Amino acid sequence: MDMPSQSGWAAAPGAHRAAIAAETARFVEVVRGADPATPVPGCPGWTLVDLVRHTGSVQRWFSVLLRQLVQEPPRSRDVELHLPEHEDGYADWLVASAAEAESVFAVTDPEAPMWAWGADQHARFWVRRMLFETLVHRTDAELALGLQPVIDGGLATDGVDEFLVNLPFAAFFAPKVAALRGHGETLRFRCTDTDGDWLVRLEPGGFGLVEGPAAPGSADAAVHGAAADLLRLVYGRLGHGADVFEVQGDEELLTRWFANSAF
């Protein structure tokens, strides 16, 4: 099933590069000096140092894939991480991780064909994916420390789009996604503060986005909310029953979707 992207950000790898740098800088500012043993509610079982280590490791691994322009799935995720000797070194280590990524971006054509697990088989896929890994975990760090995250609406819209476009391809590491099948049922996700509007259709062989905006009231189930809240919703950081959302239609369908769509 075709997975059309409706985000203007998706056509701007340079904007994604800049946003990775900005999001990492915000992440570093939040965690520098904080207790590394602080629990992270958005990632149950993780501490703040686990969150930083994961984010920097993802940046470094994606950078290796981009540098090599891999043409097939890698057999190993082992890369040289240069982890700090002490936990108080992780903020600077995350700075260095983003710098490593930027050095790769500077010499990589975002249009270069390469293997990617998602819909877009080009280098730009990994830049966009790195951005939202970094952004979501930045907000996880803020919430863990009692801060209220702020997410740009346009960027959040792009994040929802990136998630929904690529979700059908995620079953190899998020096996519950394979359960998202049906007989034409539709779910609508609409931003109330931007023009983000997505219609997902479940079919016997899988699911995907339907091209074009949904007609009002046409979906079997719908969630309307601000782009930043919808981004947190699709990543499982908010439940669809939160009072920031307007929910319509088939509750069982929504429950099934959110029970199987997390990664």
Side-chain angles (χ1 to χ4, degrees):
M1 188 176 292
D2 291 337
M3 301 302 296
S5 170
Q6 56 175 274
S7 170
W9 274 77
H16 289 153
R17 285 176 55 180
I20 289 169
E23 288 296 328
T24 305
R26 293 174 70 178
F27 199 155
V28 170
E29 183 180 359
V30 168
V31 301
R32 192 182 294 281
D35 181 356
T38 301
V40 179
C43 301
W46 284 16
T47 63
L48 207 55
V49 74
D50 295 325
L51 187 73
V52 175
R53 185 189 299 117
H54 168 79
T55 305
S57 298
V58 165
Q59 291 185 349
R60 290 172 187 250
W61 182 53
F62 288 6
S63 296
V64 169
L65 299 181
L66 283 162
R67 193 179 296 280
Q68 297 175 353
L69 290 178
V70 297
Q71 299 301 314
E72 58 184 30
R75 297 180 180 178
S76 171
R77 294 185 59 162
D78 292 336
V79 299
E80 181 52 66
L81 296 176
H82 302 287
L83 294 172
E85 293 184 8
H86 304 288
E87 289 186 341
D88 61 4
Y90 269 95
D92 289 335
W93 176 80
L94 186 57
V95 172
S97 299
E100 172 64 20
E102 180 56 35
S103 72
V104 175
F105 299 157
V107 296
T108 303
D109 178 1
E111 306 300 317
M114 67 176 291
W115 173 82
W117 63 258
D120 185 2
Q121 300 289 297
H122 296 86
R124 61 184 179 241
F125 167 90
W126 293 103
V127 183
R128 195 182 186 204
R129 182 88 287 279
M130 189 187 298
L131 168 57
F132 293 109
E133 279 280 333
T134 304
L135 184 156
V136 169
H137 290 317
R138 182 266 293 178
T139 68
D140 286 334
E142 289 174 331
L143 288 166
L145 294 169
L147 304 173
Q148 185 59 43
V150 175
I151 308 172
D152 173 81
L155 186 55
T157 302
D158 186 50
V160 176
D161 186 77
E162 193 267 350
F163 183 93
L164 293 175
V165 165
N166 291 309
L167 185 63
F169 304 91
F172 78 99
F173 63 85
K176 288 185 177 180
V177 169
L180 294 174
R181 301 171 185 269
H183 299 280
E185 301 94 326
T186 54
L187 301 95
R188 184 186 186 191
F189 301 92
R190 184 179 70 85
C191 298
T192 54
D193 57 342
T194 72
D195 60 0
D197 194 350
W198 303 266
L199 187 68
V200 179
R201 177 173 288 124
L202 307 185
E203 302 283 7
F207 67 96
L209 289 177
V210 179
E211 196 158 5
S218 63
D220 295 300
V223 183
H224 302 170
D229 292 331
L230 285 177
L231 181 65
R232 294 176 63 195
L233 171 70
V234 297
Y235 275 97
R237 270 59 174 186
L238 277 178
H240 67 278
D243 59 10
V244 294
F245 299 117
E246 177 189 348
V247 178
Q248 302 171 354
D250 188 338
E251 173 64 26
E252 186 281 329
L253 179 60
L254 287 168
T255 299
R256 180 158 61 94
W257 171 270
F258 289 112
N260 292 288
S261 61
F263 75 75

